[in-house]
Amino acid sequence: MDGLFKQMIENDIDNVFLNLNEFADMHELDGTDMPVVVDTNRNNAHTKAAELMDFQQGIYQSILTITYKGNKQDLPRKGYKISFDGFEYDVALASFEEGMHVLTIVRSEG
């Protein structure tokens, strides 16, 4: 039963959540184009936690939460520099949830 449930989750990730006609869009992540769900909702838990962190005071922060398929061992760590759609971000928070990387990334702006 456990294997069947994992197959169902994998199927939902590929065919619903990361479906380019549903929730995901193609984005460039560290030089690789892949389906990514971008959440700019400042009310989600990841974004709220990132906003509480002490980044450069007085400089506007661009904060995104991105979700994409990945392996647990490849999860970027906090502080990792990541390229997203041609811009460099810092990983503020990272978690692995049911076969997905969920990252809150931050970029200081002018």
Side-chain angles (χ1 to χ4, degrees):
M1 183 77 163
D2 187 41
L4 180 59
F5 181 69
K6 287 182 181 183
Q7 287 177 336
M8 290 170 57
I9 290 173
E10 179 82 17
N11 186 51
D12 284 347
I13 288 170
D14 292 335
N15 295 314
V16 179
F17 194 67
L18 293 178
N19 183 327
L20 296 174
N21 294 317
E22 296 291 335
F23 299 107
D25 294 302
M26 290 299 286
H27 291 275
E28 178 270 323
L29 185 63
D30 278 347
T32 302
D33 290 332
M34 65 177 63
V36 177
V37 175
V38 178
D39 184 358
T40 58
N41 180 358
R42 292 182 106 52
N43 291 321
N44 79 42
H46 267 263
T47 302
K48 283 184 178 181
E51 287 175 335
L52 293 175
M53 298 177 78
D54 187 23
F55 289 100
Q56 295 174 332
Q57 197 169 20
I59 296 177
Y60 175 75
Q61 303 288 318
S62 175
I63 301 173
L64 301 173
T65 299
I66 60 173
T67 305
Y68 59 96
K69 192 171 181 177
N71 297 313
K72 189 171 187 173
Q73 64 269 18
D74 296 330
L75 181 67
R77 295 185 183 267
K78 178 182 169 186
Y80 176 79
K81 301 274 189 217
I82 195 165
S83 171
F84 185 70
D85 288 342
F87 293 96
E88 187 174 284
Y89 288 82
D90 292 309
V91 175
L93 297 168
S95 63
F96 182 76
E97 301 171 16
E98 301 299 332
M100 305 286 286
H101 290 186
V102 181
L103 306 180
T104 298
I105 57 177
V106 179
R107 179 170 67 96
S108 297
E109 296 182 353

